[in-house]
Amino acid sequence: MQNLLDLDLPGLVAFFESIGEKPFRARQVSHWLHQFGADDFAQMTDLAKSLRAKLPEVAEIRPPVLGHEQVSDDGTRKWLLEVGPMNRVETVFIPENERGTLCVSTQVGCALECEFCSTGRQGFNRNLSVAEIIGQLWWANKALGRDPLTPSPSPAGGRGEHRESRGFGNNGERIISNVVLMGMGEPLLNYDNTVSAVSLMLDDHAYGLSRRRVTISTSGIVPAMDRLRAQMPVALAVSLHAPNDALRDRLVPINRKYPLKELMSACQRYVQDGPRDFITFEYVMLDAVNDRPEDAEALLRLTRDVSCKFNLIPFNPFPNSGFRRSPSETVRRFASILMGGGKIATTRKTRGDDIDAACGQLAGQVQDKSRRVINRIEQFMGEV
Ligand code: SAH
Ligand code: SF4
């Protein structure tokens, strides 16, 4: 049984050809699946009756199972997705004045074990499938499209079927205007599934987002950054967090494999082909660890030849993290040194704090910690 949510457009075309149907059926079905949120072939009224009867025998529409939804005081929403016995991942929607951003997960847990990240602390379990990655957008569109103005008590419920096309507000504006792959996991270590899901996000027959509005965040998997640049360049955020190798080796251990010099060159190459003319460097502000004025000055030297912006993220604490958030005055001073050096530096607002939906707090639930990777870096090198 082929789950149609596991296929990008070329995959859908191949599937329809394999059952003796014309390629345009793929586009038709894609509209139903991704733009109307259909979960039943019977809803696809412009397909020939015979095809509608045949499809349930060879294919299914199986989105991930939705757990409960939490709504924060500031309007941020978080959905839990059940992705196997005792495994859960999280998806977060952050409404802002001009845009709505969905933060999507790509793995159950993460193998890279960055010290300050609660996902990293729980170890790695498995990659999400295409259906599980794109399913987060599918569900969020359904939940938000139903009634964007009031929180929906149960996204899985059957309320408000009046709106024909999902994911658009009352005035036709997009509710989810941006997607960031900044949830649980390292997207570039689940490369193929991530790229297929991203291609659906970009495809006009599916979600039709522009390349500038889909951002992949990576801890710096250099060969995969080059692959992405050639294959599907979307906006890129790189989790830097330290201005020198000694500190980054400790905070972001993948740095031992891809040190800063290589990472900076990869960023320069990416900018040449990417949809934006800069890389966003994410920098989590850890009190007395990486937030001194000389760290900001070292960052300016490190990134001198890279077209980039900085996004300073106040550390989001979790139990036994061993780190503290930098005081806001320290963050301000750090930002002003970067700006004095000619770089744009923004400080991320912390959203969804009260429902643990902020960056690096997505813990979900991972059952099988025995598969935790001991030598996490070497293990994954074969996969990119
Ligand atoms: N694995 C990818 C994407 C997921 S993490 C990556 O590392 O880029 C998304 C962002 O949240 C990264 O910049 C990450 O470093 C940051 N982050 C992780 N833990 C955090 C925490 N406790 N507080 C603030 N930001 C955190
Ligand atoms: Fe993984 Fe990113 Fe967390 Fe590091 S910060 S452990 S790469 S999810």
Side-chain angles (χ1 to χ4, degrees), residues 107 109-121 182-187 189 217-221 239 241 251-254 360:
Q107 297 183 314
C110 182
L112 296 184
E113 299 189 346
C114 302
E115 251 193 301
F116 51 85
C117 171
S118 112
T119 305
R121 288 279 178 102
M182 289 186 187
M184 298 171 66
E186 169 51 54
L189 289 181
S217 174
T218 180
S219 54
I221 315 293
S239 296
H241 307 322
L251 295 177
V252 186
I254 193 72

Side-chain angles (χ1 to χ4, degrees), residues 73-383:
D73 295 341
D74 65 14
T76 301
R77 295 179 188 205
K78 182 169 88 168
W79 294 278
L80 276 177
L81 254 42
E82 314 275 352
V83 288
M86 298 293 290
N87 279 326
R88 289 180 183 159
V89 294
E90 296 170 340
T91 303
V92 178
F93 176 69
I94 306 146
E96 285 167 298
N97 290 342
E98 308 270 299
R99 62 182 181 190
T101 303
L102 191 71
C103 178
V104 166
S105 295
T106 54
Q107 297 183 314
V108 186
C110 182
L112 296 184
E113 299 189 346
C114 302
E115 251 193 301
F116 51 85
C117 171
S118 112
T119 305
R121 288 279 178 102
Q122 69 181 213
F124 174 74
N125 192 304
R126 70 169 174 85
N127 284 329
L128 294 183
S129 65
V130 178
E132 288 165 340
I133 300 172
I134 204 65
Q136 298 170 54
L137 187 47
W138 191 90
W139 268 127
N141 256 338
K142 237 171 154 59
L144 296 163
R146 183 167 290 129
D147 190 352
L149 301 176
T150 53
S152 63
S154 156
R159 195 165 60 86
E161 291 301 330
H162 56 281
R163 195 163 301 137
E164 245 200 304
S165 177
R166 308 287 183 178
F168 293 86
N170 292 332
N171 302 320
E173 81 282 10
R174 261 175 209 279
I175 295 169
I176 298 173
S177 59
N178 296 60
V179 174
V180 295
L181 286 87
M182 289 186 187
M184 298 171 66
E186 169 51 54
L188 296 187
L189 289 181
N190 182 12
Y191 185 88
D192 291 339
N193 292 349
T194 294
V195 163
S196 286
V198 166
S199 86
L200 284 169
M201 294 171 196
L202 303 180
D203 204 301
D204 283 339
H205 299 294
Y207 298 93
L209 295 170
S210 86
R211 287 175 189 276
R212 301 156 57 86
R213 290 176 176 271
V214 176
T215 302
I216 290 187
S217 174
T218 180
S219 54
I221 315 293
V222 166
M225 288 164 63
D226 282 322
R227 255 183 100 183
L228 186 72
R229 167 171 72 90
Q231 199 179 349
M232 187 139 322
V234 290
L236 191 70
V238 172
S239 296
L240 199 52
H241 307 322
N244 58 61
D245 282 321
L247 182 58
R248 196 164 190 269
D249 280 353
R250 187 191 131 202
L251 295 177
V252 186
I254 193 72
N255 193 68
R256 296 174 206 160
K257 182 75 186 172
Y258 303 115
L260 285 170
K261 193 161 178 285
E262 281 181 42
L263 182 58
M264 291 304 117
S265 307
C267 289
Q268 283 175 311
R269 292 192 293 276
Y270 198 93
V271 169
Q272 286 168 12
D273 297 319
R276 290 186 182 271
D277 55 8
F278 60 88
I279 298 283
T280 302
F281 285 128
E282 296 164 278
Y283 196 94
V284 60
M285 296 294 292
L286 304 167
D287 184 28
V289 174
N290 65 355
D291 64 350
R292 298 165 311 165
E294 49 268 47
D295 295 325
E297 275 146 23
L299 269 183
L300 285 172
R301 287 192 297 276
L302 176 73
T303 61
R304 198 179 42 213
D305 299 326
V306 185
S307 168
C308 63
K309 294 183 180 175
F310 285 92
N311 193 358
L312 306 179
I313 316 174
F315 170 65
N316 290 308
F318 55 89
N320 307 317
S321 74
F323 292 102
R324 289 181 313 270
R325 180 180 286 187
S326 304
S328 44
E329 185 44 42
T330 307
V331 179
R332 263 198 297 278
R333 197 176 50 200
F334 201 90
S336 75
I337 294 172
L338 294 175
M339 289 191 286
K343 300 288 190 189
I344 291 175
T346 53
T347 303
R348 188 174 296 174
K349 260 196 302 180
T350 302
R351 302 283 305 263
D353 248 352
D354 52 334
I355 56 168
D356 285 349
C359 267
Q361 284 185 328
L362 302 186
Q365 188 176 356
V366 176
Q367 184 193 29
D368 182 7
K369 291 195 187 176
S370 61
R371 288 177 57 200
R372 191 178 182 113
V373 201
I374 308 291
N375 196 340
R376 57 205 174 251
I377 297 171
E378 298 306 324
Q379 160 125 9
F380 280 89
M381 291 314 104
E383 296 191 10

